[in-house]
Amino acid sequence: MKSFALLMLSSLLTGCFTTTLSAPDHMPVRIMAENEKASYQNEYKDWYLLGGLLPIYRHDIPELIRQEKLVEVRVRTEDRISDGVITFLTDYIIPLFPQTIVVEGNTAEQLKAQVRSVPTKSP
Amino acid sequence: MHFRADQGPDPTRMKSHAASTRGCHAFLAMVLCLQLSGCGVMHLNAPPQSQVRLMSKGETAEIKVERHAWFKYWGGEPFNPEDVNASTIIKEQGLKEARIQMTNTFVDGLYSIIPGIFGFPRRTLIVEGNRVLHTPDGTIVDANPQGRQGSDASKIEVGK
């Protein structure tokens, strides 16, 4: 009975991991398509407690965009097996719930470089 | 707990009980991890060949679409690949600017009780945006957008 209650509680608490892709204020940023080339790629981990209910460390995507000077961006959220392993290993102490955020994009310079690298057809 | 009248608690049975409790907890933890660690990849992106401006948090959005994505194999594969891409909603709604949110709502958590245990978790994708393009400062750039026109909804919510 106690185990069932624990399972129910943990299931109820699965609902709060949130990632928002938005731009910094007053900064023009384009959303990229999935198949476009991205020169910038970085992975971040957001950390939660209580099954995702309580964020303890969450990356601010607009701030990342501003810091990296990205002019176009796309994001992927993943719950990896490694995230599950961390939750499993910390389960008996304080269960931590990480979520992986993959940010991809281009700065203005990287875009220019991509345009330059495209071969032009000779007449 | 089992006791013998002459010797007190049976150490063998106590060990067995403790092992069984540990096993049960480990199983529950594993189930929880599986529920939460299914890859469940969500793509916050735009359709190919499109120019969609990313909106900031404070900007007003006329359209809000909320869509749920179901996965199988503990998140390993979506039932419908289109549901895990924000580009699908952006294309359907003809949005010129958008901001995207991926979340596990409380209801997603409720749905995870039974389907989640058997490997069918759910995620929610929320896309907010406009069919008219503005500058980041709020000035209208594209007053006569292509695509869907004539809808005078000040706030349109489309669910699935």
Side-chain angles (χ1 to χ4, degrees), chain B residues 92-149:
Chain B
E92 278 174 8
Q93 297 297 319
L95 300 180
K96 292 290 178 76
E97 53 186 22
R99 65 174 164 256
I100 309 163
Q101 191 180 63
M102 192 293 301
T103 185
N104 288 7
T105 61
F106 184 73
V107 180
D108 292 336
L110 284 176
Y111 273 114
S112 295
I113 293 174
I114 300 300
I117 292 169
F118 294 102
F120 304 106
R122 197 182 87 157
R123 304 273 188 277
T124 299
L125 201 57
I126 300 168
V127 177
E128 295 172 293
N130 296 309
R131 291 174 187 142
V132 178
L133 188 64
H134 299 76
T135 64
D137 296 319
T139 314
I140 293 177
V141 177
D142 181 7
N144 187 23
Q146 297 294 312
R148 295 171 186 239
Q149 292 179 19

Side-chain angles (χ1 to χ4, degrees), chain A residues 29-48:
Chain A
V29 183
R30 178 181 161 268
I31 308 175
M32 294 175 75
E34 196 177 356
N35 57 354
E36 290 178 68
K37 188 185 173 189
S39 301
Y40 172 86
Q41 183 179 12
N42 219 336
E43 291 180 11
Y44 304 91
K45 276 213 193 295
D46 287 352
W47 297 87
Y48 298 85

Side-chain angles (χ1 to χ4, degrees), chain A residues 10-11 13-14 17 45-53 56 78-100, chain B residues 25-38 123:
Chain A
S10 55
S11 298
L13 292 173
T14 57
F17 302 86
K45 276 213 193 295
D46 287 352
W47 297 87
Y48 298 85
L49 285 173
L50 299 174
L53 192 67
I56 49 173
E78 299 177 4
D79 296 308
R80 294 185 176 166
I81 298 296
S82 59
D83 297 335
V85 170
I86 291 170
T87 306
F88 183 76
L89 292 176
T90 57
D91 189 53
Y92 282 98
I93 314 158
I94 301 170
L96 290 170
F97 295 86
Q99 187 173 52
T100 306
Chain B
H25 284 171
F27 175 74
L28 285 174
M30 196 175 72
V31 168
L32 177 61
C33 291
L34 278 171
Q35 272 180 259
L36 296 171
S37 69
R123 304 273 188 277

